[in-house]
Amino acid sequence: MQEKREYYEAYDDRYKQVHEKQLQWFSNINSQIVDEIINKYEITKEMKIIEIGCGEGRDAQHLIKKGYSLLATDISPTAINYCKSNCPEHANSFMVLNCLTDRLSSKFDFIYAVAVLHMLVLDSNRIQFYRFIYEQLNENGIALICTIGDGKKQSSTDISTAFDLQPRTHEQTGEELCIAGTSCRIVNFETLYREASENNLTVIESGVTSIKPDFPVVMFAVVKRMNDLISMRNIGKELKKKLQYAGIATADKLKQIGSYEAFIRIKSHYPNVCLVHLMALEGAISDMEYNQLPDDVQERLKKFSDSLK
């Protein structure tokens, strides 16, 4: 009995179907946005880099030839074997990996994924994608996410048809091919920002670019990990635990919602929290010891705490 495959694995079929005709699906022209981000954020050749969804190796081979330390991954065994055959001297730089379910022991300074996220239609799969980035990034690392779209329109395909054969025009030859349709979900920037934030990632730069000839219109976002709660003043293990249980997992989230809202959320789960906890939250946000808050601030906090009794 054949093992059930997930809809996002349909690209392996497409690669097989194209390669059987001695063709390559994508061009060999590297994505300039990857070079631009590497240069802008000073990603050096000594830093650890991983590519999610390297496909036929367009960007990976470009960076490897420039001397970068790179691990290029893809869920498609066909794509990885193709890359290894085209770059045999660096075969160990290519690896089959499902970023939704697999994890690596190493962490990376730079993660990039070009035209991968749009293939993930279900929210649960998109969360897994972001979680991989969060968990595999070094504390000060950054990730570049490029996904098809203009940042405004939203659309989605039916995942039940991902493996169905559909007519497609081969870009380089103009030949009409009958290949797996795969999947696609296009989101706007509002959705992209929300998805990143809900998965503890902060967008530090975004925009629309072009990766010709393969992807004429592409959204991009540079993200980093949100700061850990424990790095803030007054936040010990117990208060961190309470905050996380209340859905406040990072320092950035706490700063975003403020001490009052955070206190209300904690109190709904832990009714016995008191003024001291509220002061600790305010001090964490203000980067002050809770007992050194100005008198007028302490008085204001006391009134708010009393109003919730």
Side-chain angles (χ1 to χ4, degrees), residues 128-148:
Q128 290 172 305
F129 171 85
Y130 288 113
R131 292 307 302 170
F132 179 89
I133 291 176
Y134 180 84
E135 292 172 13
Q136 300 290 169
L137 263 182
N138 278 326
E139 185 176 349
N140 297 314
I142 64 166
L144 169 66
I145 302 169
C146 296
T147 185
I148 290 175

Side-chain angles (χ1 to χ4, degrees), residues 52-309:
I52 304 172
C54 66
E56 292 160 317
R58 173 190 59 224
D59 291 312
Q61 291 187 52
H62 168 72
L63 292 180
I64 288 171
K65 288 175 182 177
K66 291 181 72 172
Y68 284 91
S69 175
L70 172 72
L71 176 62
T73 71
D74 201 286
I75 194 174
S76 166
T78 302
I80 292 300
N81 289 335
Y82 186 81
C83 291
K84 288 182 175 182
S85 65
N86 284 341
C87 196
E89 66 275 23
H90 296 287
N92 291 337
S93 295
F94 297 93
M95 173 184 177
V96 175
L97 179 135
N98 181 348
C99 71
L100 307 189
T101 59
D102 299 336
R103 292 296 182 268
L104 300 169
S105 58
S106 300
K107 291 189 181 293
F108 298 86
D109 303 298
F110 180 50
I111 298 174
Y112 71 95
V114 176
V116 175
L117 181 57
H118 77 268
M119 294 191 299
L120 302 176
V121 175
L122 300 182
D123 287 340
S124 58
N125 297 142
R126 295 171 73 87
I127 289 171
Q128 290 172 305
F129 171 85
Y130 288 113
R131 292 307 302 170
F132 179 89
I133 291 176
Y134 180 84
E135 292 172 13
Q136 300 290 169
L137 263 182
N138 278 326
E139 185 176 349
N140 297 314
I142 64 166
L144 169 66
I145 302 169
C146 296
T147 185
I148 290 175
D150 62 4
K152 300 175 183 177
K153 299 175 183 176
Q154 299 200 114
S155 63
S156 180
T157 60
D158 181 354
I159 62 173
S160 68
T161 65
F163 291 96
D164 292 355
L165 297 180
Q166 299 178 16
R168 291 287 190 275
T169 302
H170 186 252
E171 184 73 30
Q172 286 76 44
T173 64
E175 183 178 346
E176 287 295 320
L177 305 177
C178 197
I179 55 179
T182 70
S183 54
C184 181
R185 179 177 173 185
I186 296 173
V187 302
N188 58 25
F189 275 118
E190 181 181 354
T191 298
L192 189 67
Y193 269 70
R194 175 181 54 77
E195 289 178 336
S197 177
E198 289 176 351
N199 290 282
N200 302 324
L201 296 168
T202 298
V203 178
I204 55 178
E205 179 181 353
S206 63
V208 176
T209 188
S210 178
I211 303 176
K212 294 182 178 179
D214 299 309
F215 309 107
V217 182
V218 176
M219 302 161 58
F220 75 89
V222 179
V223 302
K224 66 175 184 177
R225 290 170 54 120
M226 290 184 176
N227 295 323
D228 193 281
L229 287 165
I230 210 72
S231 66
M232 306 179 80
R233 290 180 188 267
N234 311 315
I235 307 294
K237 290 182 179 179
E238 284 304 312
L239 185 50
K240 176 183 175 180
K241 179 181 176 181
K242 289 180 171 64
L243 285 164
Q244 289 178 324
Y245 192 80
I248 306 165
T250 66
D252 302 73
K253 185 67 174 180
L254 176 57
K255 291 177 182 177
Q256 178 187 349
I257 66 173
S259 61
Y260 285 6
E261 176 63 23
F263 186 66
I264 291 171
R265 294 189 189 184
I266 292 174
K267 199 169 183 65
S268 68
H269 298 285
Y270 303 93
N272 293 329
V273 294
C274 61
L275 174 60
V276 173
H277 293 93
L278 178 58
M279 291 172 62
L281 295 172
E282 182 68 26
I285 293 170
S286 304
D287 195 26
M288 298 179 66
E289 298 296 334
Y290 76 95
N291 56 3
Q292 294 181 357
L293 291 168
D295 291 342
D296 62 322
V297 174
Q298 292 191 39
E299 183 62 28
R300 172 170 55 82
L301 295 174
K302 184 177 185 304
K303 287 182 179 179
F304 182 78
S305 177
D306 289 344
S307 71
L308 299 178
K309 292 180 179 178

Side-chain angles (χ1 to χ4, degrees), residues 10-25:
Y11 242 103
D12 190 57
D13 282 16
R14 178 177 289 190
Y15 287 131
K16 286 178 183 176
Q17 292 152 357
V18 172
H19 295 171
E20 284 172 357
K21 294 182 176 294
Q22 305 302 309
L23 297 173
Q24 179 173 300
W25 182 242

